[in-house]
Structures are given as C-alpha cells and as structure tokens.
C-alpha cells in the first residue's frame, strides 16, 4: 500500500466494484463471488546472474475468475509487483473482458524485477523458468490461462513463453494459443502491437463524436484540433499519441519517468521517441519546453489527458489540479476512487481503463482464435473478395460508360488482409462497448460516472454468465 493511499490497489478496485454493485439487483452471494480472486499462485525460484551470484525471484500468477475459460491477462515485469497489485489487475481483466464480450476469465501475472537491471540472457532465463513453474502447477495453457504482454514485457518475452511451453508439451497441437502478443513469426497476429493504443483512440473518438456528451463538457465534437497530453511513451502511450496525431489532434505534452515536455504546436511521438533513444531522455527535445516534474504533465491545460503508464498517478492530492476535460485511462488503474470523486465535482469525464484499454485483450482474443484455427485471417477470402469486386466494378463501368481512377480501383478491389480484419474487429468492439456503457449511464440517473456505468455493464454480464452456468440456481 502506498503511503499516500488510504487503501491498496485491490481494495480500490473492490471499492469501485461495490459502488456499482449497489446499483444492480443481483444476489449478494453472486456479487461476492464475482469480486473474489479465485486462485493466487505465489512463487519463488532461483536464477544464476551473469556474475555468478544466485538471486531468488518473486513472481505471481493470479486467476481472478473462471466463469469463462481460459483466464486471460498480461505479465508485468516491475519492481513494484506485489500480490495485491496482481490481484487488482487480474480483477480488472475479468471486468474488461466481460465489457467487450471477449469470452475469457480474468488473470494477471507479475515478476518483481526491474528488467533494465538484467541482461537479455538473464531475462530469458527468468521468463523460461517462470513459464515452467506455471506449467508444473497447470497455470498456463490454451484452455487454462493465457498470458500476454503488460508493463515491462513485449513480443520477445511472449516468444520465450510459447517456446518453453511447446517444448514441455510435445504434440500439443494448440500450443501456440498458450500466450498472446507473440511475434507474427511465432504465431502472433498482425495488429496486436498497436492494439491497446488504437483501442484507446477508437474509444475516445466515439465519446468525442457524441454531441450531447461534448456539449456538456463545453467541447466541439470530433477529434480534430483537440489538445492531447500523454503520460508514458511505452507501447500503449506511443501508439495512443500516434493515432490521435494522425486523426488531427495536437499532442501538446508527453511525459516519461525522467521528465515531461510540452509544445503547444504539437509533438511528433516518433521524433520524441528517437530523441529519447539517442539522448537517453525525453527532455531537451528541440522546440519543446521542459517541465520540472514528469507529473506536471498531468496538470497541463488540455482537452484530453491520457495516462498510459502505471496505477495511482492521479489521486486525491493532485486530482484537484487536473485541468483536462476528458481523461482517457490507457493504463490500468491510473486514477484512484478519490480522484473519481473530484472529477465528478469538477465535471471532468473520466473514460475508464477497464474498457478503454481493452483493445489489447480484444486483439489477443483474435490471436488466440487464429492459433486455434491454425489459419491466418484473410487467407480464405481475400482473393475471392477481390475477384467479386472486380466483376462488380466491371459491371458498373460497363453500365455507366465511366472508368474509376487507378487509386479508386485499388480501394474498391482490395480484399481484406489480416491487419484490416483485426483493426475493423477492434473498431467495432470499441464502438459497441462505448455505446453500451453510455446507454447504461444515461438510463440510470443514480450512476455518478462512466466508471460505475462500466462496472454495472461488467457485473451484468459476469453475473448472467454465472447464473447460466447453474452455479447459483
Ligand atoms: N496486459 C494487457 C491488459 O492489461 C493485455 C492483456 C491480454 O492481452 O491478455 O489488458
């Protein structure tokens, strides 16, 4: 528990859950079961460092719910990892999957290390050993529990996991489905890497297209011209910034743990990323102003604030100084329940994590389906669609006596590639979820904020599926 927080991260998830649960009509027993973490596996294992010393590693995998199988959720590498944090993150996965209709239970894993302090060889040993510990206890498998990337992990770690799993399970035809977020060459799906950031963009774009919501905030509809601040330039922050910029928004502030920069004319995330790679810091980017503390970025005057790093960054202490009109929670748990109360009073719209950052797990679902079906998306229909389009276009041209341009021909003829299908599946998922949550909120005047509406949506879905299982006759 952090010193400024009156309760732990898991307790804060429970608090938000209870706030919403009161507004539903489900049996208290069902609600209690939904809230509880079903299984917690805490492990310790030794690893020999490159310098010959032996270090004992602390790691976790939590399965919050099995109302749908398998469990699903990332694995994070961070010094802050502890059981409470992993439990909180696993719970958020249950609600997240339910809201976006991805048929998984919630899970999460964590290894308590700062990956920057380890060599690639050491990280590989730790990841492989962690995987074999999961295999030993039956905590991983395409039908049991399917990890994915999270803070501090990426495609590389997922490749090590699938390789370790497959070598321990010879002949398991669906082994590739034991983990998602893999490199495309190892059974990954195109579009997974940018999925969370793209999902954040689709969700916020949908909110910004709602005229009544924007009018209440005193903002014009649409993304174009909106001033955006992004905290965190990791995979999620980088891609969120990219999609907002490409849609015509201005990314006026970017923050990383060493500091923050601002430029009212807009920043290009790729240029900032390259500058950081070269100089080791986000600071002193040409044309931008340095901010004294990285947390100053959270208090900048802007339209949309995207916290895309870690939990608890906006709390009761700094929330009163937040000037954004919309907060898009790209990270898991960036705002505490105290911050939520401040946002309600100030009329700030907080678009909650557990649906806004669901793009990652949604595309993980597509990857898992690809692995189980053993075929790339688009393989069966691409050519067929192109042939059909060619016939239709030929007919239209024949009947009208006019020819389309080469560019238009390309657009009309194009049959879907894997990445087209993944992006459109994600877009559909995020738009539907945004509308569903907004409907719930509008139809119940007792719901104070969008987070509570999202929880109500999640509870409705999980409770229904428990009842359908016949556990609570
Ligand atoms: N770690 C991501 C999350 O928090 C993705 C999880 C997944 O793809 O299973 O949602």
């Amino acid at each position: 528990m952090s010193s400024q927080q009156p309760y732990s991260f898991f307790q804060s998830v429970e608090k938000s859950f209870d706030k919403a649960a009161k507004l539903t009509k489900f049996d208290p027993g069902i609600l209690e079961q939904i809230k509880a973490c079903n299984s917690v596996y805490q492990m310790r294992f030794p690893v020999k460092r490159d310098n010959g010393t032996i270090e004992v590693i602390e790691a976790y995998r939590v399965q919050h719910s099995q109302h749908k199988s398998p469990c699903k959720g990332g694995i994070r590498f961070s010094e802050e990892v502890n059981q409470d944090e992993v439990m909180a993150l696993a719970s958020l996965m249950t609600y997240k999957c339910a809201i976006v209709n991805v048929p998984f239970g919630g899970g999460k894993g964590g290894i308590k290390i700062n990956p920057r302090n380890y060599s690639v060889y050491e990280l590989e040993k730790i990841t492989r050993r962690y995987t074999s510990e999961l295999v030993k206890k039956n905590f991983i498998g395409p039908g049991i529990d399917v990890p994915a990337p999270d803070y501090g992990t990426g495609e590389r770690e997922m490749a090590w996991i699938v390789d370790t799993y497959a070598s321990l399970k010879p002949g398991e035809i669906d082994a590739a489905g034991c983990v998602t977020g893999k490199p495309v060459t190892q059974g990954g799906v195109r579009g997974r890497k940018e999925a969370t950031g793209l999902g954040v963009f689709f969700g916020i774009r949908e909110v910004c297209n709602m005229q009544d919501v924007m009018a209440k905030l005193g903002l014009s509809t649409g993304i174009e011209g909106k001033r955006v601040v992004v905290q965190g330039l990791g995979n999620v922050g980088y891609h969120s910034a990219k999609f907002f910029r490409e849609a015509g928004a201005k990314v006026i502030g970017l923050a990383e743990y060493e500091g923050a920069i601002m430029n009212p004319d807009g920043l290009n995330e790729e240029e900032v990323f390259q500058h950081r790679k070269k100089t080791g810091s986000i600071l002193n980017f040409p044309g931008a102003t340095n901010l004294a503390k990285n947390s100053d970025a959270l208090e900048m005057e802007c339209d949309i604030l995207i916290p895309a790093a870690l939990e608890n960054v906006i709390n009761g202490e700094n929330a009163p100084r937040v000037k954004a009109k919309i907060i898009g929670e790209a990270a898991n748990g960036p705002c505490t329940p105290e911050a939520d109360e401040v946002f309600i009073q100030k009329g700030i719209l907080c678009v909650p994590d557990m649906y806004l950052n669901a793009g990652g797990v949604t595309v993980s679902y597509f990857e898992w389906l690809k692995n189980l079906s053993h075929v790339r998306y688009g393989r069966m229909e691409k050519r067929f669609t192109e042939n059909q389009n060619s016939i239709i276009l030929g007919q239209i041209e024949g009947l009208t006596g006019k020819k389309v341009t080469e560019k238009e021909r390309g657009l009309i003829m194009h049959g879907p590639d894997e990445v087209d299908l993944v992006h459109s599946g994600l877009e559909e998922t995020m738009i539907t979820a945004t509308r569903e949550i907004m409907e719930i909120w509008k139809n119940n005047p007792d719901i104070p904020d969008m987070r509570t509406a999202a929880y109500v949506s999640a509870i409705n879905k999980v409770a229904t599926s428990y009842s359908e299982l016949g556990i609570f006759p």
Side-chain angles (χ1 to χ4, degrees):
M1 200 182 303
S2 123
S3 51
Q4 314 117 318
Q5 300 306 325
Y7 33 74
S8 73
F9 187 15
F10 183 62
Q11 284 168 331
S12 100
V13 173
E14 287 193 310
K15 214 171 143 77
S16 301
F17 179 95
D18 291 339
K19 191 163 148 189
K22 277 198 238 118
L23 301 163
T24 69
K25 303 218 158 42
F26 296 103
D27 183 292
I30 292 192
L31 294 168
E32 203 49 42
Q33 171 55 41
I34 295 174
K35 208 165 69 165
C37 268
N38 288 359
S39 326
V40 178
Y41 176 22
Q42 186 196 128
M43 67 194 98
R44 309 268 159 140
F45 53 81
V47 63
K48 196 171 204 171
R49 302 287 310 256
D50 292 346
N51 65 11
T53 59
I54 294 187
E55 190 177 312
V56 179
I57 304 286
E58 178 183 332
Y60 301 86
R61 183 73 190 173
V62 171
Q63 297 174 346
H64 173 257
S65 74
Q66 278 109 348
H67 71 291
K68 303 256 177 193
S69 282
C71 295
K72 191 83 190 78
I75 294 180
R76 76 169 46 179
F77 286 2
S78 139
E79 252 163 352
E80 309 302 318
V81 161
N82 58 59
Q83 184 173 320
D84 181 273
E85 182 193 61
V86 186
M87 284 168 67
L89 294 166
S91 326
L92 287 173
M93 288 309 302
T94 297
Y95 309 133
K96 190 183 299 191
C97 291
I99 293 172
V100 291
N101 298 321
V102 163
F104 294 141
K108 201 79 167 201
I111 303 187
K112 192 178 171 65
I113 53 166
N114 178 350
R116 270 183 269 265
N117 298 341
Y118 294 80
S119 69
V120 173
Y121 180 57
E122 289 170 337
L123 289 173
E124 177 168 354
K125 279 203 283 189
I126 293 169
T127 310
R128 287 186 182 275
R129 177 65 188 257
Y130 175 77
T131 310
S132 59
E133 293 296 326
L134 294 179
V135 170
K136 274 195 247 169
K137 291 280 192 294
N138 216 14
F139 257 67
I140 185 172
I144 298 167
D145 190 347
V146 181
D150 198 82
Y151 188 84
T153 59
E155 289 186 347
R156 181 184 65 180
E157 287 73 18
M158 304 307 118
W160 292 331
I161 292 174
V162 70
D163 186 60
T164 309
Y165 181 86
S167 68
L168 292 171
K169 301 265 180 178
E172 193 171 308
I173 186 85
D174 292 329
C178 77
V179 66
T180 59
K182 303 178 292 291
V184 173
T185 51
Q186 309 296 313
V189 73
R190 289 161 189 83
R192 173 65 183 83
K193 201 168 179 178
E194 67 273 31
T196 310
L198 185 56
V200 167
F201 169 72
F202 284 145
I204 296 288
R205 186 189 65 184
E206 189 58 19
V207 169
C208 288
N209 284 341
M210 295 175 169
Q211 219 161 4
D212 51 339
V213 178
M214 288 296 105
K216 246 195 231 155
L217 295 168
L219 291 172
S220 59
T221 51
I223 288 290
E224 215 172 323
K226 294 272 183 304
R227 296 162 308 154
V228 180
V229 173
V230 181
Q231 185 216 24
L233 206 54
N235 179 38
V236 178
Y238 174 92
H239 284 105
S240 303
K242 174 177 189 279
F243 293 115
F244 276 105
R245 180 185 54 74
E246 286 176 354
K250 263 191 196 154
V251 180
I252 60 165
L254 283 172
E256 254 298 340
Y257 72 105
E258 68 274 10
I261 52 171
M262 63 170 283
N263 184 345
D265 296 329
L267 295 157
N268 178 302
E269 73 297 328
E270 175 57 23
E271 289 169 10
V272 176
F273 182 83
Q274 289 306 335
H275 166 82
R276 187 168 188 245
K277 210 164 136 186
K278 211 168 75 196
T279 66
S281 167
I282 197 172
L283 297 170
N284 304 323
F285 180 70
T289 312
N290 291 339
L291 297 182
K293 294 191 273 72
N294 70 353
S295 54
D296 288 348
L298 301 170
E299 299 168 24
M300 271 175 69
E301 180 79 47
C302 65
D303 300 314
I304 304 170
L305 171 64
I306 307 282
L310 285 173
E311 58 265 20
N312 286 341
V313 294
I314 307 178
N315 45 49
E317 193 273 316
N318 61 355
R321 297 192 298 273
V322 168
K323 294 172 201 74
K325 308 248 170 47
I326 300 174
I327 297 171
E329 293 188 319
N332 287 307
C335 303
T336 66
E338 280 75 27
D340 280 347
E341 293 307 319
V342 176
F343 300 152
I344 294 170
Q345 277 162 26
K346 289 179 69 175
I348 293 174
L349 174 66
C350 180
V351 185
D353 50 0
M354 54 175 187
Y355 109 87
L356 190 66
N357 69 26
V361 75
T362 301
V363 175
S364 277
Y365 172 47
F366 301 156
E367 179 175 334
W368 180 75
L369 292 175
K370 174 188 184 181
N371 295 148
L372 299 190
S373 63
H374 301 264
V375 63
R376 166 173 54 81
Y377 287 104
R379 177 165 179 183
M380 301 299 284
E381 66 268 41
K382 183 176 168 68
R383 176 74 45 176
F384 180 81
T385 308
E386 286 180 353
N387 290 344
Q388 291 292 97
N389 291 347
S390 168
I391 295 167
I392 297 167
L393 187 58
Q395 289 289 328
I396 295 173
E397 287 182 333
L399 288 167
T400 59
K402 290 180 186 153
K403 291 246 177 247
V404 298
T405 65
E406 269 320 297
K407 192 171 168 224
E408 286 162 344
R409 174 174 302 277
L411 282 172
I412 297 167
M413 293 271 294
H414 180 76
D417 289 316
E418 183 163 82
V419 73
D420 300 320
L421 293 167
V422 164
H423 283 178
S424 79
L426 174 61
E427 185 172 12
E428 170 62 19
T429 303
M430 293 309 296
I431 290 176
T432 308
T434 310
R435 291 186 186 166
E436 261 178 38
I437 295 168
M438 283 296 189
E439 265 321 290
I440 292 176
W441 193 10
K442 276 181 201 155
N443 291 335
N444 187 343
D446 293 332
I447 295 181
D449 55 15
M450 200 172 170
R451 186 184 319 281
T452 310
Y455 267 100
V456 169
S457 167
I459 293 170
N460 285 342
K461 290 182 184 182
V462 182
T464 310
S465 105
Y466 267 121
S467 325
E468 279 162 4
L469 281 175
I471 292 173
F472 299 102

